[in-house]
Amino acid sequence: LRLVPPAIAAAGSGASGTGASGTGAAAGVRAQNASLRAQVQTLQTQLAGEQRLVTVQNQELASLQAKLGLPVRSVTAPASTAASTAARSPDPSSTTQWSGSAAARAW
């Protein structure tokens, strides 16, 4: 067993089908898994932010409807969705600004 820097392991993963390339391939799979997990985390963070925006918009609409004397329709997410979102929602102070399109923000 020998340790190799990531640059060498990445270069070795494209080599012929020897035992060393198997180690390089495993390192490549681990790197890909880490990248995919980071992407999932980023998407979950964006989803949580967008859900917060929808909640704020719904509250604002309900407030405006109440001021106008219109009937307020309550739209709530299923309890399981709300609970799972709350359980994995990151600290709001650590999230980045939402980067949706202007048309989506105008909605």
Side-chain angles (χ1 to χ4, degrees), residues 21-105:
S21 69
T23 303
V29 168
R30 284 191 298 273
Q32 185 179 20
N33 285 343
S35 174
L36 291 173
R37 287 176 196 212
Q39 288 176 354
V40 167
Q41 181 64 39
T42 300
L43 291 172
Q44 286 175 339
T45 301
Q46 288 176 352
L47 177 62
E50 290 177 17
Q51 287 173 337
R52 283 191 298 272
L53 286 174
V54 169
T55 299
V56 168
Q57 286 178 341
N58 285 342
Q59 291 170 346
E60 289 175 356
L61 284 173
S63 174
L64 292 172
Q65 287 173 340
K67 287 180 183 178
L68 292 173
L70 298 174
V72 177
R73 294 185 310 187
S74 176
V75 179
T76 58
S80 62
T81 303
S84 66
T85 302
R88 66 175 185 242
S89 292
D91 177 23
S93 64
S94 67
T95 60
T96 58
Q97 183 178 5
W98 183 60
S99 61
S101 69
R105 285 192 301 268

